[in-house]
Amino acid sequence: MQAVSKARLQIHFCVVLWGFTAILGKLITLPALPLVWWRMLLVSGALLLIPRVWRGLIAMPIRLRWAYAGIGVLVSLHWLSFYASIKLSNASVGATCIALGPVFLAFIEPWIARRKFDPRELLIGIAVVPGVAMVVGGVPHGMRLGILIGVLSALFVALFGSLNKRLVEHGDPLTVTCIELGTGTLFLTMMAPLFPHTGAAFVLPSMHDALMLVALSFGCTLLPFALALVALRHISAFGTQMITNLEPVYAIVLAVVLLHEQRELDGWFYTGVAVILAAVFVHPLLNRKQLATEQPELLGTAESHSMVE
């Protein structure tokens, strides 16, 4: 029980660190594309220094490498749209949109995993609709584009989360993360000329942004990733998912405390958030039997870790 309690505390700490990703995304002055490019470069570069990663790369079949590389493109699009959402609105809105990931997952995972659709999961999508409507009505008109981009980001979460879950047993998690983030870096490098208004992806950040990027890459990505891998040895996938569903809550609380975003949002926004989160917590309850028997490893490639991959 002592090991289980420690593992739960570790997961909660990881979720708090993940909650800071939205805050740091707002504080970093770089546009979304160079922000994500630098984060992916720093994390994948650090992983390449680990011998275990190289052993995993050598042992992995080429076909599987290409599969993870394709998922890496989806990861980069998720991060790009997530930070674009924050830049166009604020951290609270971005975190709330990401909470829609499990809702999309309820519809996408049966298709990707080739399992029968569960009608109970349809209730999640229906329950979220009024929450989304209240969130939209509770933000200034100028932030609504940020909501649209944020919903797109949640869709990418569901897509690559389902694909990772299908392939998770075929590769070392550190190696998989390196492939995905490394591929994402290359993809964004090729994409950069298509977005000249964002500036070159490899522009050197200011000292302020550099320090924030280091904190984002190592403090909010690699550190919680390592802690989560250790904690998952002692806590069920169901318990992990219930804790990680708190990430939007932590992110919004941090945004209120550190960025005073409550001045930009009204009561309808927070009521809508409560409705969305209620649906998010229902999702693992519907799948409790399945989750209780699974023990997958967590991949640190999403802002929203409300799904165990």
Side-chain angles (χ1 to χ4, degrees):
M1 288 299 296
Q2 202 169 27
V4 172
S5 298
K6 182 179 179 181
R8 286 175 179 160
L9 288 174
Q10 285 177 327
I11 292 295
H12 272 291
F13 182 61
C14 290
V15 174
V16 172
L17 291 177
W18 287 324
F20 270 103
T21 59
I23 308 301
L24 291 171
K26 190 68 176 179
L27 293 175
I28 294 172
T29 62
L30 289 174
L33 193 148
L35 187 161
V36 175
W37 187 86
W38 275 108
R39 184 185 183 187
M40 286 189 149
L41 179 67
L42 289 171
V43 176
S44 56
L47 288 173
L48 284 173
L49 299 177
I50 302 174
R52 168 181 165 181
V53 171
W54 284 101
R55 290 195 296 268
L57 284 171
I58 294 171
M60 186 178 293
I62 295 178
R63 186 175 179 179
L64 194 56
R65 290 183 210 166
W66 279 108
Y68 286 126
I71 296 173
V73 171
L74 292 175
V75 173
S76 67
L77 290 173
H78 155 61
W79 275 2
L80 183 62
S81 53
F82 173 72
Y83 286 109
S85 173
I86 291 174
K87 299 293 183 181
L88 291 168
S89 54
N90 60 29
S92 297
V93 171
T96 300
C97 292
I98 283 299
L100 294 170
V103 179
F104 287 118
L105 187 69
F107 297 94
I108 291 174
E109 188 182 1
W111 169 57
I112 291 180
R114 297 174 184 173
R115 66 172 174 83
K116 187 177 178 181
F117 175 74
D118 188 344
R120 296 175 301 172
E121 296 180 340
L122 179 62
L123 297 175
I124 299 173
I126 295 173
V128 161
V129 171
V132 173
M134 285 185 279
V135 164
V136 172
V139 303
H141 190 271
M143 290 186 180
R144 291 181 181 178
L145 179 58
I147 293 178
L148 181 62
I149 301 299
V151 171
L152 181 63
S153 178
L155 175 61
F156 285 129
V157 165
L159 282 170
F160 82 73
S162 297
L163 290 168
N164 266 341
K165 186 173 182 179
R166 184 174 178 180
L167 299 174
V168 72
E169 296 179 357
H170 301 290
D172 171 71
L174 286 175
T175 303
V176 170
T177 302
C178 183
I179 293 173
E180 292 182 355
L181 299 192
T183 303
T185 305
L186 294 174
F187 175 73
L188 291 181
T189 301
M190 293 185 292
M191 287 280 289
L194 302 179
F195 300 93
H197 59 284
T198 65
F202 46 82
V203 64
L204 288 176
S206 65
M207 182 60 69
H208 168 270
D209 284 348
L211 292 174
M212 294 289 180
L213 283 167
V214 169
L216 181 63
S217 302
F218 300 107
C220 298
T221 305
L222 282 180
L223 176 59
F225 174 80
L227 287 175
L229 287 179
V230 174
L232 279 169
R233 298 173 184 171
H234 305 289
I235 187 171
S236 70
F238 173 79
T240 303
Q241 186 163 0
M242 292 301 290
I243 295 173
T244 53
N245 281 346
L246 290 169
E247 183 188 339
V249 178
Y250 288 144
I252 292 171
V253 170
L254 289 169
V256 169
V257 173
L258 300 176
L259 303 178
H260 306 292
E261 290 186 352
Q262 74 277 10
R263 300 171 184 172
E264 303 172 318
L265 308 166
D266 63 22
W268 282 111
F269 172 83
Y270 293 105
T271 304
V273 170
V275 172
I276 292 171
L277 290 176
V280 168
F281 275 93
V282 166
H283 180 246
L285 291 172
L286 292 177
N287 297 282
R288 182 168 188 171
K289 185 176 180 180
Q290 177 186 356
L291 285 167
T293 59
E294 293 178 351
Q295 192 67 22
E297 292 183 300
L298 197 67
L299 296 181
T301 51
E303 303 310 333
S304 171
H305 296 262
S306 41
M307 63 207 73
V308 178
E309 304 176 15

